[in-house]
Amino acid sequence: MATLAHNVPYIPESVDVLRDYILTDVRLAARADGAAEPATQPGTDLYRGAESTAQAQWLLFHNISLRGQNTTPLESEGAELEEWREALGLPVVQPSPASGQIQIRVVTGTVTIADGTQLVLPNGLRIKASGTHAGIADLSLVNVVAIDTGTRTNAAGGTVVRFVNPPLNVQQEARVATGSPLTGGYDTESDARKRDRILNRLRNLPAGGNWGYLRELALNASPAVQ
């Protein structure tokens, strides 16, 4: 028999333990009624009945065990962690776009790349120039951010991208910069990151622009912020 801790529900170790408890109760009940010792060995009807009952009860105990593991954000996962987010009033973090730099090819002289000039990744997703870049020469770097969101907007250095409408005197093809590839695109928030947001709210109560408040603003803004 397992030792029961205070305020901790008892969870049997296995189906076999539950089955043996049931068979013990059957034998004790027979003795209390003055009846003969019932046959409870493997293969008997009582044994089979206790086995099937124990298997059904084991599912209930197992669910209790799983629920007990989600009593705090430290152990919670999936739906239970989402309940913690909702209870604390934290917003859903939306998918984020990747950002980085591209290296462009200029035919002659220098050019200006206007803010918002669009390019297309090999998978068809779109990026755009971030800010206006004046006096850009051949092989210069231009800051870009994805228009679309998610991990598919990430791209390794050297990836070929194409201008939708290349500016005058600029080649249509450009390449993602090796030293500053497109990163930071996330689809959905992971449980680990959501747990960080929840624990930040509980440990660093946001108020009046304090550290907890600023950290929460950053974490709520984008899953790219770690």
Side-chain angles (χ1 to χ4, degrees), residues 98-102 117 119 127-130 133 142-146 182:
S99 61
Q101 293 182 317
I102 60 169
T117 301
L119 303 96
I127 59 176
K128 64 179 182 178
S130 179
H133 298 69
V142 172
N143 297 325
V144 295
V145 62
L182 296 179

Side-chain angles (χ1 to χ4, degrees), residues 8-14 18 57-72 75-77 80:
V8 177
Y10 170 63
I11 307 297
E13 294 86 353
S14 65
L18 270 175
Q57 291 181 349
W58 175 250
L59 294 176
L60 300 177
F61 281 111
H62 184 63
N63 287 335
I64 293 173
S65 176
L66 291 177
R67 191 66 181 179
Q69 296 171 13
N70 292 302
T71 54
T72 74
E75 297 88 15
S76 297
E77 296 179 350
E80 287 75 17

Side-chain angles (χ1 to χ4, degrees), residues 156-205:
T159 301
V160 175
V161 296
R162 293 176 178 272
F163 282 98
V164 175
N165 292 301
L168 184 65
N169 208 29
V170 174
Q171 292 186 11
Q172 185 174 32
E173 288 190 355
R175 291 184 181 272
V176 175
T178 302
S180 184
L182 296 179
T183 60
Y186 288 88
D187 293 321
T188 56
E189 186 177 38
S190 66
D191 279 356
R193 190 182 184 283
K194 187 181 297 183
R195 185 177 297 108
D196 283 344
R197 284 204 295 143
I198 292 169
L199 292 177
N200 178 69
R201 167 63 69 85
L202 295 175
R203 292 170 176 170
N204 309 301
L205 190 64

Side-chain angles (χ1 to χ4, degrees), residues 18-32 38 40:
L18 270 175
R19 180 201 62 221
D20 291 344
Y21 284 162
I22 295 171
L23 293 175
T24 297
D25 287 343
V26 170
R27 289 192 294 269
L28 291 176
R31 293 175 188 174
T40 58

Side-chain angles (χ1 to χ4, degrees), residues 142-157:
V142 172
N143 297 325
V144 295
V145 62
I147 298 172
D148 297 297
T149 59
T151 56
R152 295 184 64 218
T153 60
N154 296 325

